Amino acid sequence: MKLAGVPGQDKRLQTLQNVSCWRSKFMETFFCHVLRGTLDPTCDWRLQDSRFSALEHSAPYVTQLTLCNALHGVEELVAEVQRKALDTLAGSLHTLKFRHLLFSDGAAHRGLRKLLHRLIHHGVIRQVSMYSWPVPETALFILILTMSAGLWQPAPCDGICRLCGAEASMPAPVRAPVRSEPSFLLGPGWPCRDTTERSAAALMTTRWETEAREAQEQAMLVQESHTLEAEAGPESSPAPSSDPETPASSTLQPQASPTRESPCPAPWQGPSAEPDDLFDFVFLIASEKEEPEEKRQSRLASSIWHPHYRNLSFLEGARQFRSISTLELFTIPLSTESTLVLCHLLRSWVSLEKLTLSYNGLGSNIFHLLEGLQSLSAQAECCLRSLHFTDLFSPLSVLELAHSTLRVLPRLHTLAIRIDHLSPDDSPRTPGTSRPGTEHEDIPENCLQQLELAFPRRPQASKCLCRVLEASPALQQLALDSATFTSPKELGLVLQTLRECNPTLQKLSFHDMNLADCQKEVLLLLQDPTLRELTLSFCRLLEKRRTHFLPKLVTAMKSNSTLKSFRLPGNRLGSSGLVALAEIFSSDSSSSLCQLDISSNCIKPDGLLEFAKQLEQSHPSRGTFGHLCLFQNWLDQDPSMAQEAIDRLRTTFSVVSDTWDSSQAFADYVSMM
C-alpha cells in the first residue's frame, strides 16, 4: 500500500514495507553497531566464546553499510583478524554510504583505501552514496571518487593485495611515494578558496606530507632488509632530512623518476614553513592578502584550461578495476577541482548507470559537468540511463539545463532536474523567454521515458518545454512541479503537446500549478486511453466554476476504464465535492480506479460519512475498490463520526488517515464558506 499526501509518513512506511526479511535486517543492524563500537558483544555472556566473531557471523546479511564521522570501524574491518568477515562482506554488500564525514587521520585513510579496493574492485558493490559533508576533505573525497570509478593507484603503504596477485607497491628507488592528491590539487594557479577551505587544504597538505615521508621511510627500510645481512643495524637505513629549517616545498615536491620528469605542479604553500601549531596556522592564513576580484577571475579562467588541470596527471599509471553503477552525492559542496576530477572520471566511467547530484553548489561548474557527460555519451559502452540534478541556484534555467542534457545524453531514460531559486548572477530576461542562442536550438529525438522538472517561481517558456516533449516520443512518466506560465493559453499548449506527441504517457503529475483556467484540457487528459496514473496536487483545480466543472470531471472519470490512480490532494474538494465523487464507483461506471487520494481537501466528518453511505447504497456488492488516502482533513471536528465513516469505508477501501489539528486551517475554511 502506497500512501500520498504526507511525504514523511509515506517514506517511513515504504521503508518498513521494503523489509523482506526482518532477521536479515536485524543482523545487518547488529553488524553496523558492533563495527562502530556502539554495541559490545562481550557484554553478553552468551557471546563470550573465542570461536565466535560478531562481525563474521553477521556479515552475510549485510547488503548496505554506512560509514560515519571519522570513518569509525574502517581500521578494524581491514585488520587481519577480520579477514573472513571482510571476504564475506565483499560478496554480500551492494550499497556503501558515507554520512557526515569529518576530518580523519592517515591511518583511517589507508584503511579506507584497502576497504574500497576489496569491496569495490574485488567485490559486488553497485552503489556509493555520500551525504551531508559541508566542508569536504578534498583528498578523501577524491579518493572515494577514484576508487568508485575503478581506478587504483597503489601506494607503498598498501602492501600486497592477494587478490591482485602482485605487490601493490614498487621498490623505493624505482618509484617514489604516490603523488598525494591534495599536493597536486592545491598547487599555485588554482582557484581561490575561502578561509575554511584554505584552512582544511593546508591541514591536509601537512598531514599528507607526513604520510608521504613515513611511506618513503618504510619503503626504503623494506628494500634495505632485502639487500643487507640479517645482522645489519638499523643505522644502515638512510633517513630523510628532518631539519626544521627545510622549507615545506622541498618535502612536498613529488620525487622525480630517474627516467621521467614529473609534470605535477608545485603544491599550494603558505608564506612560511609547515604550520606545526594551529595558532600559527590561523595567523598564517590571516596574513594572506586576497587578490583583486578581476585578477582572481582571470587566474581562474586560465587555470581551468591548464593542460595539467584538465588531464589530471595524478591519475597517470592507475590500474583499471571493476567500478560501481550508481553514484549519489547529497549536500556536498563541489569546488572547481573536485568537479573537474569528477568530470575527468566520468569521461570513461562507462559502467555508471545512475548519477545523482543534489545541492552541490556547482554554479558555473555545471558546464564542465555537461562536457564530461558528453564525452561519456560518446563512448559506445556508455550505460548512463538516469540523471538526477538538484541545486539551490544554477546559471542555466531548468529548461535550458534539460535542453543541454538531452543534447549530450540522448540515450537517457530518466532525467530529473530541480532548481530552487533564481541564480543571483542570472541576467534579467523577459518572462517566458530563453537565454539568447537557445530558443531555436533543436533537440534530437531521445530515449527519455521519465522526466521530472521542478521550477523556481518564474514564468517558463512553454515552447521550450514543448520542444522537450516533442523530442521524447517514448515518454511514459512526466512530473512538473511549480511550473508557471505567462498565461493559461501557454499551459494549454503544453497539455495539447502531451496528447499529440507522447502517446505512451502512463503517469502524469502536476504539483503546485494553477489549473483553474485549464479545466477543459484536464477533461481531455482524462480521455487518454494510455494514462494509468494522474496526480493533480495543490493545483487549484476547483477554484473557479466549481459547480460547472465537478459534474464533468465525474462523468469523465466514470467513462475512463484505464485510469488506476487519481490523486487530488490540496484542491479544496470539500465535503460536497467528495460526495459527488462517489458516483465514480456507481454500478453504471466503467471506472477501474483502485487508488484515490483526497488528502488536504477540507473534508469534514459528516461529508466523509455521507460518502461512505453513498458507496454502500450505489454498489454494495462490488467489494474492495482499492486504497483511499485521507491525510490532513478536518476529521478531528467530530472524531466519533469520523471513526464511524472510516469503519464503513473499510468494507470497500483500504483506508489510511492521520490525526491532524485542523484549527490551523481556519483561513482555508473561511474561503470554502
Side-chain angles (χ1 to χ4, degrees):
M1 176 175 58
K2 186 176 182 181
L3 308 182
V6 183
Q9 295 183 11
D10 187 7
K11 184 176 181 180
R12 287 193 297 270
L13 184 57
Q14 288 187 43
T15 301
L16 295 178
Q17 291 174 340
N18 290 335
V19 178
S20 57
C21 178
W22 283 101
R23 182 176 187 271
S24 299
K25 181 65 175 177
F26 170 81
M27 296 300 291
E28 182 177 76
T29 305
F30 176 76
F31 178 94
C32 294
H33 281 286
V34 172
L35 182 64
R36 296 171 190 167
T38 56
L39 180 64
D40 185 5
T42 61
C43 295
D44 193 316
W45 64 270
R46 293 167 296 184
L47 303 180
Q48 293 179 3
D49 189 333
S50 59
R51 298 167 298 176
F52 175 78
S53 169
L55 295 180
E56 183 179 347
H57 181 72
S58 54
Y61 302 93
V62 181
T63 60
Q64 176 178 296
L65 178 63
T66 301
L67 301 178
C68 303
N69 302 330
L71 300 174
H72 294 152
V74 169
E75 295 179 61
E76 180 181 358
L77 195 55
V78 298
E80 183 64 25
V81 69
Q82 298 295 347
R83 173 184 289 189
K84 290 185 178 180
L86 184 57
D87 289 344
T88 303
L89 194 65
S92 65
L93 190 65
H94 294 159
T95 302
L96 182 61
K97 297 183 178 181
F98 298 88
R99 192 180 296 272
H100 305 297
L101 291 183
L102 305 174
F103 286 97
S104 51
D105 57 19
H109 274 223
R110 291 190 292 271
L112 183 62
R113 284 173 57 87
K114 296 179 181 179
L115 182 67
L116 294 179
H117 180 59
R118 181 65 182 93
L119 297 181
I120 296 179
H121 302 163
H122 298 294
V124 295
I125 286 183
R126 297 191 297 263
Q127 175 178 333
V128 170
S129 303
M130 289 183 268
Y131 300 83
S132 303
W133 203 357
V135 185
E137 187 176 355
T138 305
L140 180 57
F141 177 74
I142 293 178
L143 170 64
I144 297 173
L145 278 186
T146 53
M147 300 288 276
S148 299
L151 296 180
W152 169 247
Q153 192 174 35
C157 58
D158 290 328
I160 299 175
C161 176
R162 53 190 175 85
L163 297 176
C164 292
E167 189 174 354
S169 60
M170 299 178 63
V174 179
R175 178 183 176 184
V178 62
R179 294 191 193 105
S180 60
E181 286 86 349
S183 295
F184 170 74
L185 292 175
L186 305 178
W190 293 67
C192 285
R193 302 166 176 78
D194 58 20
T195 303
T196 302
E197 188 174 0
R198 283 185 284 130
S199 301
L203 289 175
M204 284 189 295
T205 301
T206 302
R207 193 194 69 235
W208 276 73
E209 175 195 4
T210 304
E211 290 180 20
R213 185 167 57 245
E214 292 176 352
Q216 186 178 23
E217 292 177 8
Q218 181 182 1
M220 296 177 67
L221 287 173
V222 170
Q223 186 193 21
E224 289 294 331
S225 66
H226 292 160
T227 57
L228 297 178
E229 296 293 332
E231 63 273 9
E235 62 273 12
S236 60
S237 299
S241 173
S242 57
D243 185 1
E245 299 300 324
T246 302
S249 58
S250 64
T251 311
L252 281 174
Q253 284 285 0
Q255 300 296 320
S257 172
T259 59
R260 173 180 177 182
E261 182 180 355
S262 172
C264 183
W268 177 88
Q269 291 295 318
S272 63
E274 163 187 333
D276 296 324
D277 184 276
L278 181 60
F279 179 85
D280 295 335
F281 171 74
V282 170
F283 282 92
L284 178 151
I285 294 296
S287 64
E288 294 182 352
K289 295 182 179 180
E290 294 290 343
E291 295 177 281
E293 182 63 21
E294 294 183 1
K295 182 178 179 181
R296 189 181 79 88
Q297 294 294 341
S298 175
R299 184 173 57 80
L300 172 60
S302 61
S303 64
I304 286 179
W305 296 104
H306 193 279
H308 292 162
Y309 202 132
R310 295 179 58 80
N311 294 334
L312 301 171
S313 57
F314 72 90
L315 292 176
E316 291 180 0
R319 298 175 59 185
Q320 184 71 49
F321 286 86
R322 176 187 174 276
S323 55
I324 64 172
S325 58
T326 299
L327 177 65
E328 297 180 335
L329 306 178
F330 296 94
T331 323
I332 301 177
L334 296 183
S335 60
T336 299
E337 53 264 42
S338 297
T339 304
L340 287 176
V341 170
L342 174 61
C343 295
H344 179 82
L345 297 174
L346 285 175
R347 294 171 182 270
S348 57
W349 202 334
V350 294
S351 69
L352 191 64
E353 299 176 5
K354 180 181 178 181
L355 175 62
T356 299
L357 300 175
S358 180
Y359 297 108
N360 305 118
L362 284 179
S364 59
N365 288 327
I366 187 67
F367 299 107
H368 298 302
L369 177 66
L370 291 172
E371 181 184 0
L373 292 175
Q374 185 174 24
S375 299
L376 173 62
S377 181
Q379 304 287 338
E381 301 85 1
C382 173
C383 296
L384 187 61
R385 296 295 180 267
S386 179
L387 177 62
H388 296 252
F389 178 81
T390 304
D391 220 332
L392 283 174
F393 303 100
S394 172
L396 296 177
S397 70
V398 172
L399 290 176
E400 291 167 349
L401 187 53
H403 279 215
S404 301
T405 303
L406 291 176
R407 279 195 293 269
V408 302
L409 292 170
R411 289 179 285 178
L412 270 186
H413 289 173
T414 301
L415 175 61
I417 300 175
R418 180 186 185 92
I419 305 297
D420 291 342
H421 304 285
L422 299 178
S423 174
D425 299 326
D426 196 11
S427 56
R429 301 196 294 272
T430 303
T433 62
S434 303
R435 191 177 298 274
T438 63
E439 59 270 16
H440 300 298
E441 292 181 353
D442 294 330
I443 305 176
E445 186 171 310
N446 55 70
C447 304
L448 201 62
Q449 299 178 4
Q450 180 177 351
L451 177 63
E452 300 176 9
L453 301 176
F455 302 85
R457 290 296 181 183
R458 175 184 189 172
Q460 305 299 320
S462 60
K463 292 183 179 179
C464 295
L465 179 55
C466 289
R467 280 201 296 274
V468 173
L469 299 177
E470 292 168 356
S472 310
L475 193 65
Q476 299 178 9
Q477 302 180 40
L478 174 64
L480 300 180
D481 189 342
S482 304
T484 58
F485 300 92
T486 54
S487 67
K489 182 180 178 180
E490 296 290 307
L491 178 55
L493 180 62
V494 173
L495 298 179
Q496 179 182 350
T497 304
L498 274 176
R499 297 194 307 272
E500 296 176 354
C501 301
N502 305 103
T504 61
L505 189 67
Q506 298 181 9
K507 298 181 180 180
L508 179 61
S509 175
F510 291 157
H511 174 73
D512 196 15
M513 295 172 56
N514 186 2
L515 298 180
D517 294 310
C518 295
Q519 296 173 344
K520 179 181 178 181
E521 288 76 8
V522 171
L523 295 176
L524 292 176
L525 282 176
L526 290 173
Q527 298 177 10
D528 189 343
T530 63
L531 201 60
R532 298 292 183 270
E533 298 182 13
L534 178 61
T535 300
L536 306 174
S537 59
F538 299 91
C539 288
R540 303 160 64 177
L541 189 59
L542 299 175
E543 185 177 281
K544 299 180 180 179
R545 300 179 294 277
R546 176 189 178 85
T547 57
H548 175 75
F549 173 68
L550 193 55
K552 293 185 177 181
L553 176 65
V554 172
T555 302
M557 292 291 297
K558 290 176 63 176
S559 60
N560 190 319
S561 60
T562 58
L563 192 67
K564 303 296 181 183
S565 173
F566 187 39
R567 302 182 180 182
L568 202 64
N571 283 282
R572 300 185 179 183
L573 187 63
S575 296
S576 60
L578 176 61
V579 173
L581 291 185
E583 280 293 314
I584 299 175
F585 305 98
S586 62
S587 57
D588 61 341
S589 174
S590 302
S591 173
S592 58
L593 196 67
C594 58
Q595 183 168 4
L596 178 63
D597 184 357
I598 49 175
S599 304
S600 305
N601 266 298
C602 311
I603 297 172
K604 294 186 286 186
D606 57 346
L608 187 63
L609 182 59
E610 181 63 25
F611 176 69
K613 292 179 179 179
Q614 289 284 345
L615 292 180
E616 293 175 347
Q617 296 173 3
S618 62
H619 209 316
S621 60
R622 177 170 174 176
T624 303
F625 292 110
H627 306 298
L628 178 66
C629 300
L630 297 170
F631 292 122
Q632 295 185 352
N633 280 298
W634 298 351
L635 304 183
D636 61 329
Q637 294 184 359
D638 192 338
S640 60
M641 183 181 294
Q643 188 59 49
E644 179 186 355
I646 291 176
D647 292 340
R648 286 173 176 264
L649 286 171
R650 280 177 177 157
T651 62
T652 53
F653 279 103
S654 175
V655 182
V656 288
S657 184
D658 60 356
T659 56
W660 182 64
D661 184 7
S662 62
S663 62
Q664 302 298 322
F666 179 75
D668 211 6
Y669 171 76
V670 171
S671 66
M672 284 293 299
M673 294 180 61

